[in-house]
Amino acid sequence: MHSEESVKVREEQSFVEILISRVENLNALNPDVLQSLLLVFEKFERNSQKKVILIKGDGEKAFVAGADIKSMYDLGQRAIADYAELGQRVMRRIECYSMPVIACVNGYALGGGMELALACDLIIASKRSKFGQPEINLGIIPGFGGTQRLLQRIGIGTTRKIVYLGTIIEAEEAYKLGVIDMIVENDKFQEEIEIFARNLSQKAPIALMECKRVLRESTEPNLLMGLRYEVEGFIRAFATDDRKEGMRAFLEKRNAEFKGS
Ligand code: CAA
């Protein structure tokens, strides 16, 4: 296991495992993690032999509990725009990586964490995992592509329900809704994701890469337009007093009182 700060990389013969490791903050995505993810994906994209990539969160509790609320709280308008752009660039980099990327979720995948999973080709989760876009409870909207990729995955009705209410849903429910692709027993998690990765990496690589490219490019125009709308909406919501109250309430471990300003 080779460490690049809070993103660790383990390279096997047939796949690469990326571990996001900020356990004390439930692996929340700060700029450091986002930059490291970008570098890791760029590095593997340059390899002549492209490998399937697995993304995991460190520890027993979370895949990723979202964008890092602590590091976002004090950001001004320019800085939050840069932050959202960086997050979106990382998700696109993953989405455009030549070979399939599998989100391996064992615990919470919330906000930017669910968005990270949605940017991957497939989502495998342990039974105890939980999913959600709880940004509304902070006075903001998803900013790393969640509205658009969820819309593409499960349709507008259920996307509205998840994004408007910010409810956290169990893995079984997420599977029934089509948010995730496979559920595995908690104690078989590592074994099952490795079996899946090895199976995938035995397929004809050029055909596999073409499958990924064709499926992505055929839905790309709407996605790219929607991602622009999302960033704009995210920045507008971030400028409100409700956003400050929502994030302060989270940090003070209380419910937010929104005023509509
Ligand atoms: N950012 C920063 N720190 C976070 C975090 C996040 N997204 N999620 C959890 N943490 C931190 C907590 O602040 C806490 O730190 P302290 O010990 O210093 O207080 C630590 O991780 C453990 O978390 P909790 O004490 O809250 O653990 P819990 O078991 O009571 O609750 C949880 C777990 C339900 C996941 C809860 O932590 C939670 O709701 N987290 C926030 C989820 C969220 O709102 N995500 C969206 C973020 S905004 C976003 O992602 C925007 C975007 O699209 C770009």
Side-chain angles (χ1 to χ4, degrees), residues 143-198:
F144 293 169
T147 59
Q148 302 307 303
R149 295 192 177 94
L150 200 54
L151 173 64
Q152 285 199 336
R153 237 178 197 260
I154 61 172
I156 199 157
T158 313
T159 297
R160 284 189 179 119
K161 203 166 145 197
I162 289 174
V163 172
Y164 291 178
L165 293 175
T167 317
I168 294 179
I169 54 177
E170 303 286 332
E172 297 276 2
E173 175 72 2
Y175 182 66
K176 278 189 211 136
L177 294 173
V179 173
I180 66 174
D181 305 295
M182 197 170 137
I183 303 194
V184 299
E185 294 296 335
N186 298 332
D187 59 354
K188 296 251 168 65
F189 179 69
Q190 187 63 30
E191 189 184 330
E192 294 279 1
I193 61 173
E194 290 196 13
I195 290 171
F196 192 88
R198 289 201 182 91

Side-chain angles (χ1 to χ4, degrees), residues 24 28 61 65 67-70 112 115 135 138 142-144 250 253:
E24 67 291 352
K61 202 165 165 183
D68 191 309
I69 299 166
K70 293 166 189 163
E115 295 175 285
E135 286 89 345
L138 300 166
F144 293 169
F250 173 76
K253 301 187 188 286

Side-chain angles (χ1 to χ4, degrees), residues 137-139 241-251 256 258:
N137 302 321
L138 300 166
D241 290 340
D242 279 348
R243 184 285 296 180
K244 285 200 193 89
E245 161 61 9
M247 291 193 169
R248 200 180 312 118
F250 173 76
L251 298 173
F258 295 124

Side-chain angles (χ1 to χ4, degrees), residues 1 14 65 101 120 124 140 144 167 185 213 219 223 241 250:
M1 182 81 67
S14 54
V101 182
C120 298
I124 302 179
I140 54 171
F144 293 169
T167 317
E185 294 296 335
R213 189 186 58 75
T219 53
L223 176 71
D241 290 340
F250 173 76

Side-chain angles (χ1 to χ4, degrees), residues 35 64 110 152 169 184 225 234 238:
Q35 290 287 1
V64 168
L110 301 179
Q152 285 199 336
I169 54 177
V184 299
M225 192 172 60
F234 176 79
F238 194 87

